[in-house]
Amino acid sequence: MEWKKNDRFTVTIGDLSEDGSGIGKLDGYIWFIKDTVIGDVVEAKVMKTKKSYGFARLERVVVPSEKRIVPACPVARQCGGCQLQAMRYEEGLRFKEKKVFENLRRIGGFNNLQFVDENGEREGTGQDCGASPGGIPFYPIIGMGEPWRYRNKAQIPFGLNKNGEIATGFYAGRTHTIIEHDDCLLGIEENQKILAIIKQYMRENRITPYDEEIHRGLVRHALIRKGFRTGELMVCLVINGRKLPAADKLVDKLCKLEGMTSISYCINTDDTNVILGREIVDLFGPGYITDYIGDVKYRISPQSFYQVNPVQTEKLYGTALEYAGLTGTETVWDLYCGIGTISLFLAQKAGRVYGVEAVPQAVADARENARLNSLTNVEFFEGRAEEVLPRMYAENHITADVIVVDPPRKGCDTACLDTIVKMAPSRVVYVSCDSATLARDLRYLCEEGYELEKVRCCDMFGWTGHVETVVQLSKGEIQSKKIRVDFS
């Protein structure tokens, strides 16, 4: 059958895609349908077609899956930020585990992965996952006890609604259309109060929100952060101008909120989709807030990269620290280290830690964070990991017992991986936000003599399709009978 736009059809959802869209098949043709759940029978409308697959919009759920729930957020479907909110949380965890598992098998060639329990004991027969005796243990995902209000950071756009009123909310998926909503259930409760204050201040002082189509208007975004352990709040307005009018009035209003520690504005006059500009003007407070992960204290400025889920971050970093297997004497390199979050965690147990980060402000924050925690066994280098590490190895003959990498979504550069192989640390701990590039990089390292020892996912972003993964590799021999990867 040749499908045309706006055609309607009924289909059963049999699987989910990487981004959480439902997958249904009709006569061999594959349909991707957002906001559906495995087991749903749905009516959908054709939006776009390709040769062997197409995209359709959910019109109605004919027969709901037993895995389906009513989303807690009233704009979950329009917003699109929580791709899995119509699915039971436990089912979302299973989806994330399966996504990582299948990418490691399909892209990485790790065909003997084996689901195990917390104690490392094999689950069931293992036949469903194709595992064999002596397989690579895939430990249970670390889920959240309460998967709401976990985000310590929000970047909220401003605009005008159809009535010409100031609107805040979140962009609909793959658009710059603001879905009005002041209380995202993933964010802190203070967000709603802060936005109400900003909008009142804007109305009273006749300050207009930014219109990106004509590049006019002043207020672009509000960046809000909270230290979960300290209770400290930060507000940074991103503006399309050099000055914020009547700034003292805004400060007076915001300072009435408990915990308000830092108020500033960020100048971004570029015609761009990038949220933050380079220049920050402090209006109140030191220009940063502080928070803790475990026993380590961090200074967080508006431009700092800091994990948005501090409760799960402690579990993620604890797993990375466990996989590093430190005894107190090791030399550790932490690549793509940001503001030193993992580096300082590792420095509590290592002999010496070296962090590498490309963003100058992040390196400055990392050094300050080391000073803040009186950690003298850690040093930070500014530059791209794929340039700094090979240079340090070639010029200074550096060595490493353990290398930890936490790269961006694109994964590690080949030059970086090559140098890791040459340095031959006994263990590599890879923290990844993208299991496809993780699988690619693991395959490369294992082809060069490393063995994949264990895998564990951590749910840092509940109700979304995103997941973090931590793996441990050890130095082995390519011809060893212990080799645990099949590249056939």
Side-chain angles (χ1 to χ4, degrees), residues 41 326 344:
V41 179
L326 303 177
L344 302 184

Side-chain angles (χ1 to χ4, degrees), residues 117-339:
D117 62 20
E118 291 284 352
N119 299 315
E121 298 295 328
R122 185 177 178 184
E123 291 187 353
T125 65
Q127 293 178 355
D128 289 341
C129 65
S132 58
I136 304 164
F138 194 110
Y139 285 85
I141 187 172
I142 304 171
M144 298 184 210
E146 181 56 48
W148 303 104
R149 304 291 186 193
Y150 62 80
R151 288 188 64 94
N152 60 13
K153 174 186 174 183
Q155 296 181 124
I156 302 165
F158 280 68
L160 291 175
N161 62 21
K162 60 184 179 181
N163 298 320
E165 301 164 333
I166 299 170
T168 57
F170 298 91
Y171 292 131
R174 298 179 183 176
T175 76
H176 273 235
T177 301
I178 295 176
I179 303 300
E180 284 194 74
H181 191 50
D182 291 341
D183 187 26
C184 172
L185 297 179
L186 305 190
I188 58 175
E189 293 180 350
E190 291 90 340
N191 285 344
Q192 190 172 20
K193 299 175 184 177
I194 291 169
L195 291 174
I197 289 171
I198 296 172
K199 285 193 281 189
Q200 181 186 4
Y201 150 79
M202 290 173 65
R203 287 191 293 266
E204 290 175 352
N205 294 279
R206 298 183 179 181
I207 294 171
T208 57
Y210 180 66
D211 184 334
E212 64 180 10
E213 290 187 6
I214 60 175
H215 191 46
R216 296 180 65 180
L218 187 66
V219 177
R220 301 175 71 133
H221 284 79
L223 167 63
I224 304 170
R225 290 186 187 263
K226 182 179 181 179
F228 275 27
R229 291 265 292 275
T230 62
E232 296 175 2
L233 286 170
M234 167 193 291
V235 175
C236 179
L237 277 191
V238 183
I239 64 172
N240 177 41
R242 301 293 308 175
K243 190 173 182 180
L244 186 65
D248 57 329
K249 295 180 180 179
L250 176 62
V251 170
D252 287 344
K253 291 176 183 293
L254 288 174
C255 281
K256 290 182 172 65
L257 295 178
E258 183 180 355
M260 189 57 62
T261 302
S262 173
I263 304 171
S264 61
Y265 64 86
C266 175
I267 298 169
N268 183 1
T269 57
D270 294 339
D271 188 1
T272 175
N273 291 334
V274 177
I275 294 176
L276 293 179
R278 292 188 178 90
E279 186 177 350
I280 304 288
V281 178
D282 293 324
L283 298 172
F284 171 80
Y288 59 85
I289 60 173
T290 59
D291 199 17
Y292 288 83
I293 299 176
D295 296 327
V296 182
K297 188 176 185 179
Y298 297 93
R299 188 182 77 172
I300 308 157
S301 63
Q303 295 167 314
S304 295
F305 171 79
Y306 187 72
Q307 292 282 8
V308 299
N309 186 336
V311 174
Q312 290 297 98
T313 295
E314 186 168 347
K315 298 174 184 176
L316 177 74
Y317 289 0
T319 302
L321 184 60
E322 174 194 340
Y323 286 10
L326 303 177
T327 63
T329 62
E330 292 85 359
T331 297
V332 182
W333 280 80
D334 176 22
L335 310 182
Y336 313 94
C337 71
I339 65 169

Side-chain angles (χ1 to χ4, degrees), residues 457-468:
C457 299
C458 183
D459 187 26
M460 298 280 287
F461 314 102
W463 306 110
T464 79
H466 304 294
V467 64
E468 295 276 329

Side-chain angles (χ1 to χ4, degrees), residues 394-412:
E395 295 176 1
N396 302 311
H397 307 291
I398 59 168
T399 60
D401 300 300
V402 178
I403 290 181
V404 178
V405 296
D406 184 8
R409 194 165 296 279
K410 67 179 182 179
C412 292

